[in-house]
Amino acid sequence: MKSEKTMRSRKPESFFRPVRLAILLLFLSATTGLAFADEQEGVTIITGTPGPDIITVTITDVIDAQADINTEVSEKVEASATGVDSLEGNDTITVNAPLTSGAAANALLLLTPEKKTEAIATGVGITAGDGEDSVDNNLSITVIGSSLSAYGSSLQFEQPSPTGNDTGQNDKKEIDASVSSTTETTGVITGDGVDTIENDGLMTVNGLATSGGAAGDLTATIRESSTMKTTSTSEVSATGIQAGGDSDTIINDGGSLTTATATSGALSVSLVAPGETTPSSDKKANIKTESNATAKATVTGIHGDENETESNMGDSSPFGLNGLRVTYEKSMITVSGDDTIINNALQSGNATATSGAGAGSISNKVNGSVQTEANSEAEA
């Protein structure tokens, strides 16, 4: 079941209305019969057409795209905010006003998880699709993106017990109560085609992704041999200027501050395996838990196409180690591809990734075995 509501802004250069997009994608939970929704919230202030466009933003125009979405159930939520999107075609974009874009996606679980929970946030200042585009920005661009996916309270999951010889009620052998957060923020981005990008304004691009943590734990009652996944994953990238394929020209005379922070906390899990079943059974339970945490953060000042040729890297060594808790930090500016890039301003970037994983308490009251896997990875 899908519902969609879209408003498209008119094209005159001095009149803009936000474009908001809300989509609900329903799915049926096989274990409970309940319907939950995957949700999207998108806001675009100025939208072009698939053909050639000339978009001019004057100092009197307000370009402030803000999108946020929240959930308390296990689902995928996505928030995206874009200041100017010319779509495909040979477009000319001139921005003479401050531009702000903010996207926030939050999944703070207060109900029993039925599947993996995902929070995705995407923030973009100016974007031009495929075609030969010209982008000229003269004032500041601020892009902020944040995603959160975690247990908001103490939760409980109980695997149903079979009735009589009906094993069909208990055929779910993999239980996924994982959480993940993904954030991507970009100041200016163009698609394939011979593009020209000129920037004279200060560009501030911040991305934050947080998953897991100690806000709550999960108590799971497992009656059959099963795999219990409670992984915690966060990934974030922050980019100042990104050009697509072909030979592009980028001239940057404005400073750039890019920050990416990814934090992946451990999920606490308590396993309970009852000693008695109905009907009684001598079958041994083999329970496997996966409680891994992964965090990845990436920052880039100016990036051409996919073929990297030069990079300027700062401190790339881990500076914090504490048991399974790993913190990694790196600053990098990348120049790449068959592009002409002229940078006359300071590019400052910092990426920090922190992860920590640990198995929750396990109570095993049946004749069987429990295998626990707990890893922590951080990459910046």
Side-chain angles (χ1 to χ4, degrees):
M1 178 178 180
K2 178 178 179 182
S3 63
E4 181 173 335
K5 181 179 180 181
T6 303
M7 292 191 300
R8 171 161 290 180
S9 60
R10 293 194 302 169
K11 197 60 196 308
E13 299 168 354
S14 61
F15 178 78
F16 308 116
R17 281 189 296 174
V19 178
R20 289 187 173 270
L21 175 65
I23 302 176
L24 300 181
L25 303 174
L26 300 181
F27 75 94
L28 188 64
S29 171
T31 57
T32 64
L34 298 177
F36 294 108
D38 287 349
E39 300 183 50
Q40 299 179 4
E41 174 70 13
V43 175
T44 299
I45 301 300
I46 303 173
T47 303
T49 68
D53 296 309
I54 298 177
I55 298 175
T56 301
V57 180
T58 66
I59 191 64
T60 60
D61 296 314
V62 177
I63 310 299
D64 185 11
Q66 300 294 326
D68 63 87
I69 192 167
N70 301 279
T71 187
E72 298 176 354
V73 300
S74 53
E75 58 179 345
K76 177 163 68 173
V77 291
E78 299 182 61
S80 63
T82 303
V84 179
D85 184 358
S86 67
L87 302 180
E88 298 178 353
N90 300 333
D91 305 316
T92 299
I93 303 173
T94 304
V95 178
N96 296 313
L99 187 152
T100 303
S101 175
N106 300 303
L108 197 61
L109 297 186
L110 299 178
L111 299 176
T112 300
E114 297 290 340
K115 64 170 186 173
K116 180 179 179 180
T117 302
E118 301 176 75
I120 302 172
T122 304
V124 179
I126 302 171
T127 179
D130 294 345
E132 297 184 1
D133 303 309
S134 174
V135 179
D136 184 8
N137 177 67
N138 296 297
L139 289 179
S140 64
I141 294 178
T142 302
V143 181
I144 299 174
S146 174
S147 60
L148 168 67
S149 182
Y151 297 162
S153 65
S154 295
L155 306 176
Q156 293 187 354
F157 172 86
E158 184 169 352
Q159 190 178 41
S161 58
T163 302
N165 295 323
D166 184 7
T167 60
Q169 296 185 13
N170 200 31
D171 57 0
K172 188 175 183 179
K173 300 302 182 183
E174 183 174 289
I175 304 153
D176 195 347
S178 302
V179 294
S180 73
S181 297
T182 304
T183 300
E184 183 175 358
T185 51
T186 309
V188 177
I189 184 171
T190 61
D192 291 340
V194 180
D195 303 318
T196 299
I197 302 173
E198 296 185 48
N199 176 58
D200 294 313
L202 174 64
M203 198 170 295
T204 304
V205 182
N206 296 327
L208 175 67
T210 306
S211 64
D217 57 11
L218 175 66
T219 299
T221 301
I222 309 298
R223 304 181 186 277
E224 292 287 319
S225 297
S226 304
T227 297
M228 187 79 185
K229 288 186 177 182
T230 55
T231 61
S232 175
T233 305
S234 61
E235 184 171 351
V236 59
S237 67
T239 303
I241 299 175
Q242 169 76 65
D246 295 318
S247 300
D248 304 307
T249 299
I250 301 174
I251 302 174
N252 182 61
D253 291 314
S256 175
L257 305 173
T258 53
T259 304
T261 304
T263 304
S264 181
L267 294 173
S268 177
V269 181
S270 298
L271 287 180
V272 179
E276 296 182 0
T277 60
T278 304
S280 60
S281 173
D282 295 330
K283 180 166 42 176
K284 296 182 179 181
N286 183 3
I287 302 173
K288 180 181 179 181
T289 67
E290 298 180 14
S291 299
N292 301 323
T294 304
K296 181 179 180 181
T298 305
V299 293
T300 306
I302 301 173
H303 195 283
D305 60 28
E306 297 178 354
N307 299 316
E308 292 189 5
T309 59
E310 179 184 352
S311 65
N312 180 12
M313 190 177 301
D315 182 10
S316 60
S317 59
F319 68 83
L321 296 172
N322 181 13
L324 282 175
R325 181 181 176 88
V326 180
T327 300
Y328 201 78
E329 182 171 354
K330 180 170 66 177
S331 299
M332 185 172 69
I333 299 170
T334 300
V335 176
S336 58
D338 299 325
D339 303 313
T340 299
I341 299 178
I342 302 173
N343 179 50
N344 299 315
L346 176 65
Q347 304 290 302
S348 176
N350 188 72
T352 303
T354 303
S355 67
S361 59
I362 298 175
S363 176
N364 182 16
K365 299 180 180 180
V366 297
N367 184 17
S369 64
V370 175
Q371 299 174 321
T372 301
E373 175 184 313
N375 296 317
S376 179
E377 298 179 6
E379 179 181 351

